[in-house]
Amino acid sequence: MLNEYTDELISDVFDRICDSNHDENDILLLKQWRENSNGQNILQVGKNIINIADGKDIHIGDRTYYNADAESIKAVIREVLTDLIPCITLVEKSVQQNSLTANFLPQTTNEDVIKTSNVKIQQLPPPRIPAITKFEFEIVNIDAQGIETKRCFKQAEGFIENLADGVVLEMVSIAGGKFQMGAPIDESESLEDERPQHIVTLKPFFMGKYPITQAQWRVIANLPKIKRCLQLEPSYFKGDNLPVERVSWYDAQEFCERLSRKTERQYRLPSEAEWEYACRAKTSTPFHFGKIITTNLANYCGQNKNINSISNKQTTEVGSFTPNVFGIYDMHGLVWEWCADYEHEDYQDAPLDGSSWLNDGNSEYRILRGGCWDHPPRFCRSASRFSEDATSRDKKFGFRVVYC
């Protein structure tokens, strides 16, 4: 039998990890087990198979944690796996008189039987997503004077997540690929924090067609608390189809965790690279519709010196303007959108795989992208970056979610 400390580790901490209920105390408890390293990658606790062998993903039971979301959990579990090996070896020697060459430990009276192996096992697939469907939309391109030069229809794919009666979350499929992130030196009103430009390669993912609305927020905020309480009506401007605002980065994280628990699919905030890739939609101009922006195409503070335009002075309903070629709406203006990444002064040493940048920066400040209804055009460019204290709540701050 493993000692009482190990039993508690298995029965309590891992259960909380599998249910996404773990907290800092659990992480500290797991870290206390760090002593040795044996290279084990797979653990089974009861019915929960834990596999940290592949890339940047981690599989715990029927949940999959992707990229940056998995890093803290992966690091801790890898430490725990290596530190459990000496205890497991002692148990095996006393019962079977052999070593860890066996794939499974003998049965014990403990309900949570530990099994270890160096052989890759079949990973449990994540829950199936709803049926993929196609949808049609119209896109617009303009010239440097704001005159429309092209208007045509496009198609994209996605799925619909039913949250409640009459409330759905529409997710758009975005193919993976490469793009040049950041702004060139000759882009008007660009800043040094948008450089150096660098090539990023992303895997496919799904992104919310719109920023999270107040109706969607209300449904998820009514679900049981995971780590923090959420206000049901945080927004300054009221309306079911208006984007939710006055939510902090931590509020957005709580929303993602509750949404993930409800749907059994792992939703999260986008990485900064995913956000810009989705915003640009295969373009290299400052805006996905061209070199400038007009109030016919986005909600922002319309002070463009070349265009006689005015500001809406508040948020507008999501989807009020034409989308980009991916079928994603409201990426320029409306509300600043929280991303997962830490604040960094520029792109020096930024990840090249599209993952969230969660090291060497300021973890207390997080990135926002896209500009908002109260900001001028230069802040609404595809490459524009902004950061704020993760606890900040502002009527200009909202978010959208991704799934992959």
Side-chain angles (χ1 to χ4, degrees):
M1 294 288 293
L2 300 181
N3 61 36
E4 294 180 1
Y5 183 80
T6 306
D7 289 338
E8 164 143 12
L9 178 70
I10 294 169
S11 62
D12 293 333
V13 179
F14 273 106
D15 283 348
R16 287 194 289 273
I17 289 177
C18 293
D19 292 334
S20 297
N21 284 331
H22 57 280
D23 56 25
E24 291 183 0
N25 289 332
D26 292 332
I27 300 301
L28 291 174
L29 179 62
L30 294 178
K31 283 185 175 180
Q32 293 175 15
W33 274 85
R34 181 174 56 196
E35 288 181 358
N36 303 302
S37 178
N38 245 339
Q40 296 289 339
N41 287 317
I42 297 169
L43 179 73
Q44 179 165 330
V45 179
K47 297 180 180 179
N48 293 307
I49 297 174
I50 301 171
N51 185 353
I52 62 174
D54 289 335
K56 293 190 174 182
D57 300 349
I58 179 170
H59 308 273
I60 303 180
D62 60 358
R63 294 177 181 271
T64 302
Y65 297 84
Y66 295 95
N67 295 333
D69 293 335
E71 289 306 314
S72 61
I73 296 175
K74 180 191 292 185
V76 171
I77 292 181
R78 191 179 296 278
E79 292 168 359
V80 172
L81 290 179
T82 59
D83 296 336
L84 282 174
I85 302 305
C87 296
I88 295 170
T89 302
L90 290 175
V91 173
E92 287 187 316
K93 284 183 177 179
S94 64
V95 178
Q96 289 189 333
Q97 298 299 312
N98 60 21
S99 66
L100 285 171
T101 54
N103 283 336
F104 302 103
L105 287 178
Q107 294 292 328
T108 73
T109 57
N110 191 323
E111 181 180 352
D112 293 320
V113 178
I114 302 177
K115 305 175 184 179
T116 64
S117 172
N118 278 322
V119 180
K120 183 177 179 181
I121 61 175
Q122 183 177 2
Q123 299 172 0
L124 295 178
R128 293 181 60 184
I129 63 175
I132 297 293
T133 59
K134 292 184 178 181
F135 64 96
E136 191 174 67
F137 52 92
E138 190 175 36
I139 65 167
V140 174
N141 293 111
I142 60 175
D143 63 19
Q145 286 70 48
I147 299 173
E148 184 179 313
T149 60
K150 181 180 179 182
R151 182 179 289 264
C152 64
F153 284 93
K154 296 285 186 179
Q155 279 192 339
E157 294 183 335
F159 67 87
I160 296 176
E161 192 84 78
N162 288 305
L163 303 183
D165 290 342
V167 180
V168 299
L169 173 63
E170 297 180 71
M171 301 296 293
V172 178
S173 176
I174 299 179
K178 295 183 179 181
F179 85 113
Q180 187 161 246
M181 186 174 182
I185 295 176
D186 61 356
E187 181 171 307
S188 177
E189 298 187 297
S190 65
L191 301 173
E192 287 306 309
D193 70 343
E194 301 163 18
R195 289 183 275 275
Q197 283 188 288
H198 53 290
I199 300 297
V200 178
T201 304
L202 296 96
K203 295 179 180 179
F205 61 98
F206 291 87
M207 174 174 270
K209 183 185 288 188
Y210 314 108
I212 294 297
T213 67
Q214 294 176 34
Q216 293 165 341
W217 174 271
R218 194 180 307 114
V219 171
I220 302 305
N222 262 313
L223 297 176
K225 168 186 172 183
I226 295 180
K227 293 180 181 177
R228 61 191 292 116
C229 296
L230 295 177
Q231 297 181 42
L232 292 181
E233 303 283 351
S235 301
Y236 180 82
F237 304 109
K238 303 298 183 183
D240 282 356
N241 290 323
L242 296 180
V244 68
E245 18 90 2
R246 291 207 304 192
V247 291
S248 71
W249 183 88
Y250 291 106
D251 295 334
Q253 287 286 93
E254 176 73 13
F255 179 96
C256 291
E257 292 190 32
R258 295 192 196 184
L259 176 62
S260 298
R261 175 178 290 183
K262 174 180 174 61
T263 62
E264 297 185 340
R265 280 175 279 280
Q266 194 68 29
Y267 286 94
R268 57 180 173 80
L269 292 177
S271 70
E272 189 177 8
E274 287 171 331
W275 192 97
E276 186 171 327
Y277 180 74
C279 178
R280 288 189 177 280
K282 302 181 180 180
T283 66
S284 58
T285 49
F287 308 95
H288 62 67
F289 33 70
K291 292 184 177 180
I292 69 168
I293 188 172
T294 77
T295 51
N296 293 325
L297 298 175
N299 181 357
Y300 66 100
C301 186
Q303 302 297 325
N304 191 310
K305 63 183 179 181
N306 297 319
I307 303 295
N308 183 20
S309 56
I310 59 174
S311 172
N312 287 292
K313 303 296 184 184
Q314 66 174 64
T315 59
T316 45
E317 290 194 356
V318 300
S320 295
F321 302 93
T322 54
N324 62 24
V325 73
F326 285 161
I328 303 290
Y329 291 74
D330 304 313
M331 297 297 275
H332 299 301
L334 192 54
V335 287
W336 284 102
E337 299 182 13
W338 288 111
C339 295
D341 306 54
Y342 291 178
E343 175 192 60
H344 292 85
E345 292 183 356
D346 55 32
Y347 285 137
Q348 193 65 45
D349 299 322
L352 303 179
D353 61 357
S355 60
S356 300
W357 197 1
L358 299 177
N359 58 25
D360 301 327
N362 184 356
S363 63
E364 295 182 359
Y365 275 60
R366 301 290 173 141
I367 293 293
L368 295 119
R369 300 296 297 259
C372 74
W373 59 271
D374 194 38
H375 277 69
R378 68 178 182 274
F379 293 107
C380 302
R381 293 175 299 108
S382 299
S384 178
R385 310 172 72 210
F386 177 59
S387 61
E388 187 53 86
D389 190 310
T391 63
S392 295
R393 295 185 175 99
D394 193 290
K395 59 186 177 182
K396 306 178 187 71
F397 296 173
F399 69 102
R400 73 179 75 213
V401 297
V402 300
Y403 166 78
C404 57

